[in-house]
Structures are given as structure tokens and as C-alpha cells.
Amino acid sequence: MKYGITLKISGDYALFSRPEMKVERVSYDVMTPSAARGILEAIYWKPQIRWIVDEIHVLNPIRFTNIRRNEVSSKIPVKGSSGVNAAMQDPEIRPYMDVAENRQQRASLLLKDVAYVIRAHVRVLDARLEKGGDQIPLPEPEAVGKHLEMFKRRARRGQAFQQPYFGCREFPVRFELIEEEADLPKPHDSFAGEKDLGFMLHDIEFDADRATRRVRSTTPHFFRASLVDGVIKVPKLPFAIRA
């Protein structure tokens, strides 16, 4: 088994929305690296680490289906005299939204019967937070190994901080830790050869104030995805990662 973790995930439906078609949502052909990172973080995450997705294996044939859902066009405000923050200070305030007035139907083109394998590793962003038994900072290899073992222990037990999902919370993820190379499932035979998937969202760069952690701006980054024998090799992130 290579250095890092290997996780098999599957589900009935998935929706990895293309940013250029998000009104009537249309999914990418396969899971994006940022969606894979979100699934790993739902199982195990700490402020001082970052998951780096190395490969995505596509196990099932790519199949699309259409659905139409009732959604609401707005949400209850957080700020303001009738917002969530005010309600937390004063129990007499009851934030509300009229669903009937804000309801709208939207169509989605989503994926059906999906299954992937994620290969990823951990990068420690702030070694000062990694303390051993004597409160001595751990060397980076030991700190990384500690986080990988904690992830594996949680994945074996089916534990997660929150239910991981495929793009929308209605589409939950089933996950299974792969610990031996012999147990690694093979991509479907139809993926033999190379297939160009076009430009795909790689990840989003957040520019945040280090003192307040307030996000000042976000920048999406894209890459040209290619599926070779059912495997997407994820390139290195084009921006620096900071704690």
C-alpha cells in the first residue's frame, strides 16, 4: 500500500455542479478533487492539516439522469434585527421565511450509481500544534503518520464528523477503507484508454485575514482533467497552502 490513504466511496446519486451551469444544475462527468477533499474532511479533519488528493479512480460507468426538485430561492438572514444572530440573543425573536412565497422548481442533471476510489495524503500546515506526550513538537513524518492512523481508525468504524455527501446533502456517501493493494477495485472496462474530460474545478483558494480568519476573497482554480484507464491523476495545487 502506498503512503497515504485509499478510500472507496459509493452512492446512488451525485451532483458535482459545473459553475458555468449552476442555475439549472449540471454535474461534471466525475467527482472533482475539491469534492473528494470535502468527503475526507467530513471523516477526519484538524485545523493544522490539509488533505491532498492524488488520484481519483472511477469504478462505475458514467450515467446521467434528470430530476426536478422544489427549492427555496432565499434563506433566513444571519445578521439584522430578525436574523439568526439576533434570535440567539433574544428568544422572543423567531426568524422565519415563507416557503410558499420563495418556492421554485429547478431541474438537475446528475450522476447515477457512482463509485470511486480516492488516494490522498496529509500535509501538516502548522507543526507548532503537533505535540507529543511531553508537549514536545513532533517531527513532521510522525505528525503525518498520527493523522493518517486517526483517519484509518475512524474510517474502519464508519465514523464521521458529519455525513459525507456527493455534492448535495440529499446524496449521502457510503465509504470503505482499502488497506491492501490486493483489495483495490478495478475501474470499469469501458474506461480503457484515455478520455478528455475538459476543464474541471480543481480547488478554491481562500484569501483570509490571519488574525480574524475572515475570508477576503476566493479564487477558483481549474485543470484539464484526463481519465486514463479509469484513473484521474490530480496535479499539484497551483497556489500555496497556509494554515
Side-chain angles (χ1 to χ4, degrees):
M1 183 65 70
K2 291 183 178 178
Y3 180 72
I5 61 96
T6 303
L7 189 74
K8 179 185 175 184
I9 54 176
S10 61
D12 297 330
Y13 298 100
L15 178 54
F16 309 112
S17 297
R18 291 178 175 272
E20 69 273 26
M21 292 182 284
K22 60 183 180 181
V23 177
E24 299 290 345
R25 298 189 184 99
V26 176
S27 178
Y28 282 109
D29 290 8
V30 301
M31 178 173 61
T32 63
S34 59
R37 179 172 60 81
I39 291 171
L40 298 176
E41 289 178 350
I43 298 172
Y44 176 76
W45 179 80
K46 292 289 182 182
Q48 68 269 31
I49 69 168
R50 167 89 179 204
W51 285 104
I52 306 295
V53 177
D54 300 311
E55 295 178 0
I56 296 173
H57 299 214
V58 185
L59 303 182
N60 289 353
I62 299 170
R63 293 191 297 165
F64 287 93
T65 188
N66 281 291
I67 64 168
R68 188 172 291 275
R69 297 180 293 177
N70 288 330
E71 301 181 8
V72 290
S73 58
S74 61
K75 55 189 177 183
I76 295 174
V78 175
K79 299 179 180 178
S81 58
S82 60
V84 175
N85 288 344
M88 293 177 69
Q89 302 292 329
D90 183 356
E92 297 296 324
I93 298 175
R94 302 291 180 88
Y96 74 96
M97 179 181 62
D98 190 331
V99 175
E101 289 187 357
N102 293 275
R103 182 182 295 126
Q104 59 182 210
Q105 278 201 334
R106 297 174 72 180
S108 297
L109 181 64
L110 46 88
L111 295 165
K112 182 179 180 182
D113 189 22
V114 296
Y116 307 99
V117 166
I118 303 172
R119 285 190 185 274
H121 66 276
V122 159
R123 182 178 299 172
V124 175
L125 304 179
D126 191 347
R128 295 172 300 174
L129 299 178
E130 300 296 340
K131 300 292 179 59
D134 298 326
Q135 294 300 302
I136 300 172
L138 287 174
E140 183 172 351
E142 291 186 26
V144 169
K146 179 189 73 173
H147 290 296
L148 291 176
E149 285 305 313
M150 293 174 74
F151 176 90
K152 292 176 181 177
R153 189 162 60 245
R154 293 178 64 83
R156 287 189 200 105
R157 296 173 178 171
Q159 295 176 321
F161 292 135
Q162 57 180 330
Q163 173 63 50
Y165 54 87
F166 283 122
C168 292
R169 293 185 185 276
E170 303 98 299
F171 310 138
V173 169
R174 299 184 291 270
F175 59 88
E176 172 190 352
L177 183 67
I178 305 294
E179 302 195 66
E180 301 293 338
E181 284 291 330
D183 299 330
L184 187 66
K186 301 294 184 187
H188 193 266
D189 294 341
S190 61
F191 297 132
E194 184 171 356
K195 180 181 180 183
D196 184 8
L197 299 175
F199 284 100
M200 177 182 290
L201 178 65
H202 190 178
D203 217 320
I204 296 176
E205 178 183 5
F206 291 90
D207 178 22
D209 186 284
R210 293 180 68 88
T212 64
R213 295 192 174 275
R214 189 166 188 172
V215 177
R216 293 186 290 236
S217 65
T218 59
T219 306
H221 292 271
F222 296 83
F223 74 108
R224 189 87 186 189
S226 181
L227 189 64
V228 180
D229 295 331
V231 178
I232 299 173
K233 300 280 189 183
V234 181
K236 184 179 177 183
L237 288 170
F239 55 89
I241 308 170
R242 293 182 291 270

